[in-house]
Each structure stands twice: as structure tokens, then as C-alpha cells.
Amino acid sequence: MTYSIGEIYDLTKNLDAMKEFLVSTPTITIQIPFEGYQRTARDIMIDYISVSHLVEGIANCGNVVNGKAVFGNGLGGYFTVTLTNYNLEKFSEFLLLHSYVYSDEDYYGTDEHHEYVEDLADYEDELEKRTYHFPEIIDRYYANLVNQGYFEIYNEIESIDGEDEALEFLKKEHKKYPERYFKYWRSAHSDNVNLNVYVSKDAWIVPNKYDYKSALIKLGEAKNTTEFIKANTYKIEKEQLICNDETAVWNNIKKELQTARDCAEIALKQYKKLSFEIAETEYYLSKYADILIVKDTFFTYIFFLYNSKLRTTEIKEIRSKLNPLHTILGNVIGAKNHYSIDWTQVDDEQFEHLCYDIIYDHPKFDKHTIRKMGKSKSRDGGRDITVMTKSINGAESELYIFQCKLLNSSSSLTRTKMIDASNVIVQFGAKGYGVFTNVLIDSTLYDMLDGFTNNLETYTRENWGKLELEKLLNDNDYLRNKYFKL
């Protein structure tokens, strides 16, 4: 059964009752709430430390079956951990104290309160020395610390002890952890996977003695089947295009790459002080344009791209003007299709299932969170499919909403057929919005989607029109054969 942590104290109240309760519950799932993230960074850090302290303590009392975080859309969330085969004496004492702390009892000023506060302070002071069952929580703590928390702590010290003390605090922190000056930190996952990965909200830095794909797989951001295809860079007017045979993006990470290289050079003792020649930079781009790899002599820089993938219409415009990009960009938009797709073979319901399968396998999204909202043409509130992104680099997971439109092949998908899109985004607080359709997407709809990006700060680049879907189906025998007879 699942119990909230505070509820457990209400059911027990003392050590003997706690032991009886645990004996009768050989496998237990405990739910630990946290407040959310619409407050100061320091408040959020305290939330994550408190949750981490509790779930790591629980995990050390027995065998962890599983543990996962469920984050609300700006309104907090909870962490669940399932434990079995626990040490009864150890777990009973630990759970009695912490369930009391999380209960509705007034515990302030008690011996238990002092014990808990001291334990929590010790835990926070020794984060770098620990190996974690649930390192993702600590990475969220670090993300808040380096991006805003240090600034808030500095202001607190300055208001109490003066500017000199505040500056001394930052100086000591950056001397001990020089990567944090550049807003990077050593990932809490590092010890669990036996490699050093430095992460920020923008990127990872992985020493080249580790294979970058293995690092991505070990940390759950890629599969063995994930493709990273060698890419080339081309200067087009004042911009730089990065593309391979599958996809293309503009190089919008120049500033972030320079910061990563500065961090590697200064904090991680990279190469500029060495005398031998630097290797030429190599670029690799994932098939879905969601991960960009930049590799040089000593380090690989991994960037998780958001809203960067070029649309088919944009690629066609570039392709019409340029050479030798013509052939490569022709491959990206599907110019080498082998099969003609007969869309009359699927109905609305089957089309939505196809869209579901595509999102399910998309590396950007957490497949465990995908939901198909009822049957086709049901009252879904403008949401055919919803899904959360994976949490990367301590960032919060984000909600994406997709609409699926199977239309007559002679038409196109225009903005007039998506009139409720903005209301759906605002109503459900979506960070991403996209469409699937078997026809061409009209420029008026692309203009509307770009408006959502500019005015609602919503990502709108994950769209699948006729060309994108047919290219994917030509490349994916399983999906093509599942839904179509050729």
C-alpha cells in the first residue's frame, strides 16, 4: 500500500506501534510531498534537501523496489519510494522520527525537532561525499544553487555581516568548486556510473576518456539504438547551420559553448596551457535534433536542444538557394523517400495511435507520462496526446500537448483549423505544443505557432506534417508495416 509520510505517524504514534505496523506491511510505498518551485531558489533547495535526506534514509534501511518523482505544473509534487526487506529496528526508529516531522503534530522545540534539524544540516554539509540512490533530486538542488541560490545566500550574508563576508563566502565556494563559477556542477549521478560528468542547465561536459554515448545511456538520456550522426557546419550569411543526413539546426549555442569551454579550461584544467596541437572540432547531431554533440581534443560538450529543429518549409527555402547543401538537405526533408504512403488506409483513431507511437519513442519525452486523451473525436479539451519531457540537468519536467489531425489529402492544415490552440496552452500550462497531420502545414499555422513561442514562451518546433511523417515512415519499417499495407 501507499502511505503519505505524515499519515504513517498518525497510524502509529510510538515505536512499538511502528514495529507492528511495519511487520504487517512487508513492502511499503511512502509518498513524500514537497512544496513546489514558485518561491525563492533557497526555499526550493531546502525542499530538495529535505526530500533527499528522507528518501536516502529510507533507502538505507532496506531494499529499494523503485522510486520516482511526480512534479506538478508549478504547484509542487511528491516523491514515492517503495521499500522491502528492511531492517525492522533501524527502519522503525528512522520512520517514527521522520513521520512525526512530516505529520500535523506541533513538533517545534522538541528534542525530535533539534535532532532532525541537526541531521539535515549535516546532510547538506556533506553532499559531495555521498553516493545517492536518487541522484536526480540532488541535481535539482545544485541547479537551484548555482543558478540563483548563491546570489540569494550572498544577499543574506551581506545584509547580516556585510559585503566583505559575503564576498569571502563566494570566494571560498568558487575556490573549492571552480566549475560553479560558470554555473556548472559535478552531477550527483557521477559516482553511480563511475565517470565524471559536469552539468549545467544548458549542457554536459564529459571528458573524452569516457564515451559520450555510453555516458548518455548510463544517465538515462539515450538508448543503445539512439543515433548520433556526424554533422557538418555551413556559414549562411551571418548564421551557422549544423546539419547531417537526417536533420538540421541553426547554431544557437555559441555563447553556451564558449562558457562550457571556459569552464573546462579554467575549472577542469583543460588544454590551453598545453603545447600540442588542438584537434579539429567535430559535430554530431541526433536524429530528432534534440541533442547536439561538440567534441574537441579533451572534452565532449553535450547540448540538449529546445525548439531548435528546422521545419521542412525552412529547409526547403535554404535548399533552393544553396549548393552543396542541396543533396544533404534533400535527405533531411525526405527527398529520398522510397514508399508512397496511402493515408486512406488509416482512420482517425489509428492515426492517433501512430502519433502516440512516435512520441513514445521520442528521446525528448518521458514515455511513462504519455497519455492519449480518450478516443478520436472525443471531448479531449484540445488535447489528443499529452506527455512530459525528461528531466535533464536539474530542470523541471515540462508538459507538451499534441493535436492529431487526419485530413483529406487535397487540403492543408491552416490556423483556422486550430482556433482553440492558444486557449489550450494557457488552460493547461503547456510548455510545448505541436501538431501531427498527414497533409502539409500551412504557413499561417506556422506563423501562429511562432507567435505562441514569442508571446506565451511555448516551444512549438515538434510538429509532424506530411513530409516529416512520410520520411519517418520510410525510415521506420516497423511503424510503416504496422499501419500501412504497401
Side-chain angles (χ1 to χ4, degrees):
M1 286 188 65
T2 300
Y3 298 90
S4 68
I5 184 67
E7 176 188 9
I8 293 174
Y9 184 79
D10 295 334
L11 294 172
T12 56
K13 300 287 188 180
N14 60 62
L15 188 59
D16 289 338
M18 179 66 75
K19 290 179 181 178
E20 291 179 10
F21 169 74
L22 291 177
V23 167
S24 67
T25 314
T27 298
I28 187 171
T29 299
I30 300 174
Q31 188 178 98
I32 301 103
F34 48 83
E35 295 294 331
Y37 34 88
Q38 299 295 342
R39 302 170 299 136
T40 68
R42 185 58 181 152
D43 288 337
I44 300 167
M45 289 161 57
I46 293 171
D47 271 356
Y48 287 136
I49 281 293
S50 300
V51 173
S52 178
H53 177 233
L54 178 51
V55 296
E56 295 296 331
I58 291 172
N60 288 331
C61 292
N63 295 333
V64 175
V65 177
N66 59 54
K68 67 175 182 177
V70 178
F71 296 101
N73 190 26
L75 300 175
Y78 56 87
F79 194 95
T80 62
V81 56
T82 302
L83 199 71
T84 191
N85 297 328
Y86 29 75
N87 181 309
L88 183 60
E89 292 290 334
K90 181 179 180 180
F91 194 28
S92 296
E93 292 181 4
F94 181 87
L95 197 55
L96 182 64
L97 170 62
H98 288 82
S99 63
Y100 175 47
V101 169
Y102 277 83
S103 72
D104 293 331
E105 299 283 336
D106 183 8
Y107 81 107
Y108 289 97
T110 64
D111 291 341
E112 290 84 355
H113 174 231
H114 294 306
E115 179 183 352
Y116 172 77
V117 170
E118 289 178 4
D119 286 349
L120 189 60
D122 290 342
Y123 186 82
E124 187 172 15
D125 287 342
E126 298 180 353
L127 292 182
E128 293 295 318
K129 302 176 182 178
R130 300 180 184 277
T131 301
Y132 299 96
H133 294 87
F134 308 107
E136 63 273 18
I137 304 175
I138 295 302
D139 273 345
R140 289 174 180 269
Y141 168 91
Y142 286 140
N144 281 279
L145 173 64
V146 302
N147 287 296
Q148 184 66 23
Y150 275 137
F151 175 75
E152 292 177 5
I153 296 170
Y154 174 94
N155 284 341
E156 290 175 11
I157 296 174
E158 183 183 34
S159 65
I160 298 171
D161 299 319
E163 184 179 8
D164 289 344
E165 289 294 326
L167 288 172
E168 185 64 22
F169 161 76
L170 280 184
K171 183 178 178 180
K172 287 181 179 179
E173 285 292 297
H174 290 152
K175 182 178 180 180
K176 187 175 182 181
Y177 308 107
E179 66 276 8
R180 295 184 186 177
Y181 174 82
F182 301 94
K183 293 183 167 43
Y184 276 80
W185 67 93
R186 182 177 181 272
S187 173
H189 288 83
S190 293
D191 289 329
N192 289 347
V193 295
N194 296 316
L195 53 81
N196 285 321
V197 177
Y198 291 85
V199 303
S200 73
K201 65 180 181 62
D202 299 310
W204 291 3
I205 303 174
V206 180
N208 282 347
K209 67 178 179 179
Y210 309 114
D211 175 69
Y212 70 83
K213 184 174 179 180
S214 296
L216 283 163
I217 292 171
K218 285 182 178 181
L219 272 67
E221 303 304 338
K223 305 176 183 177
N224 286 318
T225 55
T226 302
E227 297 181 65
F228 294 96
I229 304 166
K230 184 78 178 287
N232 296 305
T233 62
Y234 301 89
K235 188 172 183 179
I236 301 176
E237 296 179 349
K238 295 182 179 180
E239 301 296 331
Q240 186 182 54
L241 185 73
I242 303 173
C243 65
N244 55 30
D245 281 352
E246 294 290 341
T247 192
V249 298
W250 292 115
N251 183 359
N252 293 324
I253 50 89
K254 295 177 183 177
K255 180 179 178 181
E256 291 80 2
L257 177 59
Q258 187 59 56
T259 298
R261 282 180 157 154
D262 288 345
C263 179
E265 174 198 346
I266 298 171
L268 308 182
K269 310 301 181 187
Q270 213 226 45
Y271 56 74
K272 284 193 176 179
K273 292 183 179 178
L274 303 178
S275 59
F276 52 84
E277 185 176 352
I278 305 306
E280 183 178 352
T281 300
E282 297 178 354
Y283 296 86
Y284 299 85
L285 192 59
S286 65
K287 184 174 182 179
Y288 289 92
D290 62 318
I291 300 178
L292 172 64
I293 306 296
V294 182
K295 187 174 183 178
D296 60 24
T297 305
F298 294 101
F299 284 82
T300 296
Y301 308 95
I302 302 175
F303 294 89
F304 299 90
L305 304 179
Y306 302 94
N307 224 42
S308 298
K309 182 171 67 175
L310 287 180
R311 294 171 179 149
T312 302
T313 53
E314 294 168 325
I315 295 174
K316 289 176 72 175
E317 290 177 6
I318 299 171
R319 183 186 178 220
S320 67
K321 299 176 182 177
L322 299 176
N323 216 358
L325 288 179
H326 183 279
T327 301
I328 295 175
L329 292 176
N331 292 339
V332 174
I333 64 174
K336 60 177 183 180
N337 279 355
H338 304 295
Y339 303 100
S340 177
I341 303 300
D342 180 7
W343 291 102
T344 63
Q345 293 185 27
V346 294
D347 59 21
D348 291 306
E349 187 68 18
Q350 291 169 320
F351 184 68
E352 288 187 14
H353 280 288
L354 169 63
C355 302
Y356 181 101
D357 285 343
I358 292 171
I359 297 171
Y360 187 87
D361 286 333
H362 198 298
K364 177 182 292 186
F365 302 113
D366 180 353
K367 65 183 180 181
H368 301 294
T369 66
I370 187 171
R371 296 175 64 191
K372 183 176 177 296
M373 310 301 286
K375 291 186 175 294
S376 170
K377 299 187 184 301
S378 65
R379 293 188 177 182
D380 52 32
R383 303 166 298 158
D384 289 323
I385 299 171
T386 67
V387 68
M388 302 296 290
T389 60
K390 293 179 180 177
S391 174
I392 300 174
N393 300 353
E396 308 296 345
S397 300
E398 295 172 330
L399 173 66
Y400 268 66
I401 291 175
F402 290 94
Q403 277 288 92
C404 307
K405 297 286 187 181
L406 181 66
L407 301 175
N408 185 294
S409 59
S410 63
S411 63
S412 61
L413 186 60
T414 65
R415 67 181 299 168
T416 59
K417 297 172 182 175
M418 307 290 294
I419 56 176
D420 292 330
S422 61
N423 293 332
V424 171
I425 292 170
V426 173
Q427 179 182 355
F428 297 102
K431 187 62 177 177
Y433 183 88
V435 297
F436 283 84
T437 184
N438 63 309
V439 298
L440 296 177
I441 299 176
D442 188 81
S443 61
T444 61
L445 179 53
Y446 278 135
D447 289 343
M448 184 177 77
L449 294 172
D450 287 340
F452 295 161
T453 299
N454 295 331
N455 300 319
L456 301 178
E457 298 184 348
T458 303
Y459 300 137
T460 57
R461 290 269 164 176
E462 293 298 337
N463 300 293
W464 300 78
K466 175 183 173 65
L467 294 176
E468 292 87 355
L469 283 179
E470 292 191 353
K471 179 179 184 301
L472 181 143
L473 290 168
N474 272 281
D475 291 341
N476 191 315
D477 294 341
Y478 170 76
L479 283 182
R480 187 179 65 251
N481 294 331
K482 181 178 179 179
Y483 290 97
F484 300 94
K485 294 179 180 179
L486 300 176

